[in-house]
Amino acid sequence: PDPVAADLARIEAAWLDAYHAADAPALDLSDLAGLDEAALLALCVRRHPAARGLTLTTPAAPLIDPAFAFDVRALLVVRPAAEVRLLAIDAAAIAVLAMAGEISPLGNLIATLDETHPDGGAAIAALVAAGAFERV
């Protein structure tokens, strides 16, 4: 099988899964405003029902959207409101999405990421901004 075609099919399947996923309010950066450090770290979240992370094996991303760079190897598919969006992400963000399948305090996600990825906090912030988490 053609690996590019396989990646394109996986992207399309993730898009359809996100489109048909359950509705839930997405955590927004404005929800974090005003929280002190302890409250921020204790805030419980989980992956939004419409959030999907994909690791690509080929440079298929620019075939979906020419704005994606040729070297993009991971995509985030989200639908925090009514529109499905695709965003380029990195391995740290994929790891966070995998950990956030179950309810978890934000502090645990940050701490786990900081052990393996020096930019763990930035990865969490990018995911929150994209609408990849649901506040629980």
Side-chain angles (χ1 to χ4, degrees):
D2 179 6
V4 173
D7 273 348
L8 291 173
R10 290 178 48 244
I11 295 168
E12 180 70 15
W15 191 98
L16 288 169
D17 285 347
Y19 180 80
H20 292 290
D23 289 330
L27 180 68
D28 188 68
L29 287 174
S30 64
D31 296 328
L32 307 180
L35 295 179
D36 63 20
E37 182 179 353
L40 178 68
L41 295 176
L43 181 68
C44 287
V45 300
R46 72 175 156 216
R47 188 183 67 237
H48 190 279
R52 306 286 186 271
L54 296 169
T55 301
L56 306 177
T57 60
T58 66
L63 298 174
I64 294 292
D65 184 343
F68 287 129
F70 184 75
D71 62 348
V72 168
R73 290 296 188 271
L75 291 176
L76 173 65
V77 183
V78 290
R79 183 186 48 84
E83 178 184 351
V84 178
R85 295 181 290 157
L86 287 104
L87 306 162
I89 57 174
D90 60 14
I94 292 280
V96 169
L97 282 176
M99 288 185 285
E102 300 295 325
I103 296 172
S104 179
L106 208 52
N108 288 2
L109 297 176
I110 294 170
T112 302
L113 270 183
D114 280 342
E115 293 174 6
T116 56
H117 304 326
D119 60 346
I124 299 269
L127 289 169
V128 169
F133 291 119
E134 172 186 15
R135 185 178 189 160
V136 290

